């Protein structure tokens, strides 16, 4: 009887660990994708002239609007 209980316990542990590993992989992939998206938005915003706006809309309907500030200090932004 103890062997059956330990077998079920081991199976449940493996299922839980597999699920956690899947979630970890998904979060890691999502984090890398978000960083790449943010880096590309920053590169685009830096290339825009002062005083312009950039609006990025995602497939899920959310959007972000970046306003490039006007230069006050001799052409440098930031």
């Amino acid at each position: 009887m103890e062997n059956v209980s330990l077998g079920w316990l081991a199976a449940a542990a493996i299922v839980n660990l597999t699920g956690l590993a899947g979630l970890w992989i998904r979060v890691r992939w999502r984090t890398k994708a978000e960083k790449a998206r943010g880096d590309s938005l920053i590169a685009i915003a830096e290339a825009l002239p002062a005083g312009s706006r950039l609006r990025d809309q995602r497939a899920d309907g959310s959007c972000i609007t970046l306003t490039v500030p006007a230069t006050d200090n001799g052409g440098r932004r930031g």
Side-chain angles (χ1 to χ4, degrees):
M1 187 74 172
E2 283 186 33
N3 289 338
V4 174
S5 298
L6 290 177
W8 282 107
L9 182 61
I14 290 171
V15 167
N16 285 334
L17 289 175
T18 303
L20 283 174
L23 286 174
W24 182 76
I25 290 169
R26 184 176 178 194
V27 166
R28 187 170 173 161
W29 175 82
R30 178 96 183 228
T31 302
K32 285 184 178 183
E34 289 294 324
K35 178 161 179 15
R37 186 181 190 109
D39 290 346
S40 66
L41 284 175
I42 289 170
I44 292 169
E46 287 176 345
L48 291 174
S52 60
R53 288 187 176 190
L54 171 67
R55 184 168 188 254
D56 180 45
Q57 184 153 2
R58 298 180 179 201
D60 66 357
S62 64
C63 67
I64 184 169
T65 303
L66 301 172
T67 303
V68 180
T71 56
D72 291 338
N73 50 3
R76 275 189 53 206
R77 288 188 283 191

